[in-house]
Amino acid sequence: MANPSSTKQPMQLNFIDRVVATFDPQRGLARAQARTELASATGAGGYNGGARDRRPTKRWRPKDGSADADTLLDLPDLRGRSRDLARNAPIATGAIATNVTNVVGDGLKLQANVDHEALGITPEQADAMEREQEREWDLFCASCDFTRVQCMDELEATSYRSVLESGDLFMLRRYRKDPGDAYGTKLQMIEADRVCNPNRAADTDAIAGGVEVSKDGVHIAYHVTNKHPGGLRVLDLKWERVQARTDTGLPVVLHLYDRLRPEQTRGVPYLAPVIEFLKQLSTYSEAEVDAAVATAMVAFVIETPNDGASDSEDPPIGESDSSLNANEVKLGGAAVVSLAEREKLSTFNPNRPNSNFDPFVMSFCRQIGVALEIPFELLVKHFTASYSASRAALEMAWQYFRRRRTWLAARLVQPAYEWMMEEAVATGRLNRPGFFADPIIRKAYCGAEWIGPQRASLNPKQESDADTQDVAQGFKTIEQVCMERTGGEFEKKNAQRAKETAMRKETGVVAPPPPAANPNVPQDPKAQDPDDPDAEPDDGDEPQQSEPKRAAK
């Protein structure tokens, strides 16, 4: 932070500097330059954080390396530790699972959006094309996995989880048309460890972290091993150079990672900033549990006088076990033991479980949640604050999840959709004139929106009212609301509703009209306030009016 009491002034020359400069300007200039560099080396600027003579920062000298210099050497350890925490630390496991559930859920659903104006067709023709492309996409998703293990929804979840745990993931476009498959285009996931420098060579300006770049920093190829370097059998490890794009510029490899700094070649794990915090918290939790278990089995302590009696050859009091040493006692539940001569029984207060354990852990989790962009309440799945505070936490989390979903859709799902469209048009499954002739036409055909899991809601009625207003004002479509809130497609639901209405009429069952409001009956103010669901107390929060009421005013 800048010091408001000081402004950066030009360096003043002392008497000797002025004398030297008068008789020898060149030497005077050299002295001035040397003093300026010395002042810069000692941090004599306007920021206290940059000063090197202040007590809090004078021993703090972090390196100012490039993005690759700061990450590539640490990546193997970061990946291994991140995966270990994801397997064994509950907070880390929950943070990654919460990400995958809210970003991917049961998969991103395609809502095709053909640009009829760019194509010069009618909206009805565009609607027909959209329905065709959505059917073809569903067919493609069933057999798109190169290993024939997962469908597209599962590939999305696994890919995103791998990016979080390892820092990045590589998706290769392959072609193999198996019997029964409508499409031969396949997606092959390559874990981060398999992309590395050939023969474990050191990083250079041309190849760093297994990524080959041009002089302009463009990724032109990836060096992939034929098996995982950490597998059970790592003999005959070979590298294959895979071009990033075809000669015509179409992508062949999708490198999924979040670039945090310019010229950063590889991604870092999601848990990297809090790995040490999570490990310490996990160790502390295990120690507290071990201490609680051990002390729960100790009811009393035997005191022995220090007069030589402790040197007796008698075995220790307690259960015997051949696996124990001479000075060890096997603890057991509700054991009754006898005392030796001159020994007495004393009570034992272990102070376990530790009453400060939960507040301490929660304080740790708050800091971890800040770093991971997951509100504390959602990180620990514990909503004890007011309704307004919980709602604000969910809104903040939704902003993060929506950004990550947009990233995943743009970097993985949309390219896969365009690969499917290429094969469908090339093989004649879809008739799309001009698809390969003009990039604008191609983009018009491939327009799409990707709908993911709905936002968590503490008051479904209020969300429903908000969606009703958004649809009425044109901010949302009924199709979008259906996919976000309840899942499914509006066309299918609308057709089903038409069938149900017809059946009601045929059987004489008519839905009762909604009850009209009686002006003579007083209304419950809490029932009308959507910010106070189920008339629950708001922990001292001020009563708030809903958005419709404020808009009416």
Side-chain angles (χ1 to χ4, degrees):
M1 180 177 179
N3 186 355
S5 62
S6 64
T7 57
K8 198 166 185 178
Q9 301 290 340
M11 188 192 64
Q12 300 295 328
L13 300 178
N14 57 29
F15 175 75
I16 299 178
D17 292 333
R18 292 196 297 271
V19 171
V20 173
T22 301
F23 293 97
D24 192 342
Q26 186 174 1
R27 292 184 58 189
L29 178 61
R31 287 176 59 89
Q33 290 177 343
R35 291 188 57 191
T36 302
E37 293 177 1
L38 181 61
S40 176
T42 57
Y47 287 89
N48 292 340
R52 299 186 179 183
D53 56 348
R54 296 176 62 85
R55 184 181 299 275
T57 58
K58 65 180 180 180
R59 296 185 182 275
W60 184 17
R61 303 289 178 86
K63 59 181 181 179
D64 52 351
S66 66
D68 286 347
D70 288 344
T71 57
L72 291 181
L73 294 179
D74 295 333
L75 270 183
D77 290 331
L78 289 176
R79 291 184 191 133
R81 292 168 181 174
S82 174
R83 293 166 184 164
D84 182 72
L85 290 173
R87 291 191 297 262
N88 301 306
I91 297 297
T93 304
I96 292 179
T98 298
N99 261 275
V100 176
T101 300
N102 288 275
V103 173
V104 181
D106 56 354
L108 304 187
K109 307 303 180 184
L110 168 65
Q111 185 175 356
N113 186 12
V114 175
D115 189 350
H116 66 91
E117 294 181 354
L119 297 174
I121 59 178
T122 64
E124 291 75 16
Q125 291 175 318
D127 291 340
M129 289 182 177
E130 291 169 359
R131 288 192 291 270
E132 285 182 342
Q133 293 173 194
E134 289 170 359
R135 285 193 292 267
E136 293 295 325
W137 173 251
D138 292 339
L139 190 61
F140 169 81
C141 290
S143 60
C144 64
D145 183 13
F146 185 75
T147 61
R148 299 185 64 87
V149 174
Q150 297 177 299
C151 61
M152 188 63 192
D153 298 344
E154 295 169 322
L155 281 178
E156 293 168 8
T158 304
S159 300
Y160 186 56
R161 181 183 295 274
S162 183
V163 171
L164 294 177
E165 292 186 5
S166 304
D168 53 8
L169 176 87
F170 299 85
M171 188 71 75
L172 271 62
R173 180 182 183 178
R174 305 290 297 272
Y175 187 88
R176 187 190 69 228
K177 195 168 186 178
D178 299 322
D181 289 350
Y183 287 90
T185 299
K186 299 290 187 292
L187 306 179
Q188 182 182 10
M189 291 186 295
I190 301 296
E191 199 167 24
D193 311 70
R194 290 185 57 186
V195 177
C196 53
N197 294 345
N199 301 316
R200 309 286 190 176
D203 294 326
T204 63
D205 292 339
I207 303 178
V211 180
E212 185 176 340
V213 298
S214 66
K215 294 181 179 180
D216 297 329
V218 179
H219 292 200
I220 58 178
Y222 301 93
H223 296 264
V224 185
T225 59
N226 58 336
K227 61 184 70 175
H228 197 288
L232 299 176
R233 300 176 181 178
V234 295
L235 298 178
D236 299 329
L237 199 64
K238 298 178 182 179
W239 280 261
E240 178 183 359
R241 183 180 182 272
V242 181
Q243 282 188 319
R245 294 178 176 270
T246 63
D247 295 337
T248 57
L250 297 178
V252 177
V253 182
L254 304 178
H255 187 186
L256 308 180
Y257 76 107
D258 195 8
R259 175 175 275 186
L260 303 177
R261 294 177 57 184
E263 302 178 1
Q264 181 179 337
T265 304
R266 301 295 300 269
V268 295
Y270 172 63
L271 301 176
V274 293
I275 282 180
E276 185 176 359
F277 263 51
L278 288 169
K279 181 58 178 176
Q280 290 177 331
L281 181 61
S282 179
T283 303
Y284 170 68
S285 300
E286 292 176 2
E288 283 290 341
V289 172
D290 292 341
V293 171
T295 55
M297 306 179 76
V298 178
F300 300 96
V301 175
I302 299 175
E303 297 183 3
T304 303
N306 189 17
D307 57 357
S310 60
D311 297 334
S312 63
E313 298 298 330
D314 296 335
I317 303 300
E319 298 183 24
S320 60
D321 193 321
S322 59
S323 64
L324 301 177
N325 295 327
N327 61 344
E328 292 182 329
V329 178
K330 181 179 180 180
L331 300 177
V336 178
V337 298
S338 58
L339 301 180
E341 185 179 357
R342 300 173 62 85
E343 292 181 338
K344 66 178 182 177
L345 205 62
S346 298
T347 58
F348 176 70
N349 184 15
N351 293 325
R352 287 292 189 277
N354 186 356
S355 59
N356 295 322
F357 174 78
D358 189 67
F360 181 77
V361 170
M362 293 300 102
S363 177
F364 248 62
C365 290
R366 286 186 176 90
Q367 299 182 57
I368 293 172
V370 170
L372 300 182
E373 291 192 71
I374 298 181
F376 163 76
E377 295 86 352
L378 190 59
L379 179 66
V380 299
K381 308 299 187 297
H382 191 56
F383 292 87
T384 57
S386 65
Y387 168 74
S388 299
S390 299
R391 181 179 177 183
L394 290 178
E395 288 290 341
M396 294 179 62
W398 175 251
Q399 298 297 325
Y400 165 72
F401 295 139
R402 184 172 60 181
R403 178 179 66 85
R404 298 300 293 173
R405 182 184 303 164
T406 301
W407 171 86
L408 182 65
R411 300 297 299 273
L412 173 62
V413 191
Q414 180 66 26
Y417 175 57
E418 293 178 5
W419 289 347
M420 183 276 297
M421 288 289 295
E422 288 179 13
E423 183 176 355
V425 176
T427 58
R429 293 190 61 88
L430 292 175
N431 181 22
R432 299 295 182 265
F435 184 88
F436 295 104
D438 190 343
I440 294 296
I441 296 179
R442 174 193 177 98
K443 183 178 180 180
Y445 283 125
C446 295
E449 293 182 12
W450 299 98
I451 310 299
Q454 63 176 337
R455 175 174 52 184
S457 174
L458 299 180
N459 190 348
K461 182 180 183 302
Q462 183 182 6
E463 297 292 341
S464 178
D465 294 341
D467 286 336
T468 302
Q469 283 196 355
D470 288 341
V471 171
Q473 297 176 5
F475 300 142
K476 285 185 178 180
T477 63
I478 300 179
E479 176 79 7
Q480 183 179 359
V481 172
C482 287
M483 300 183 76
E484 287 181 349
R485 298 192 67 247
T486 60
E489 300 178 5
F490 169 71
E491 293 182 2
K492 295 181 180 179
K493 290 188 175 184
N494 193 47
Q496 180 64 27
R497 289 192 62 191
K499 294 179 182 179
E500 294 174 355
T501 302
M503 292 176 62
R504 283 177 177 271
K505 291 181 179 180
E506 291 177 1
T507 57
V509 178
V510 180
N518 188 349
N520 298 325
V521 178
Q523 300 292 329
D524 184 3
K526 288 189 175 181
Q528 296 177 357
D529 187 357
D531 281 341
D532 192 4
D534 301 330
E536 293 182 358
D538 202 11
D539 293 351
D541 284 357
E542 291 290 336
Q544 298 180 2
Q545 289 184 319
S546 64
E547 292 295 336
K549 291 181 180 179
R550 287 197 291 268
K553 288 186 177 180

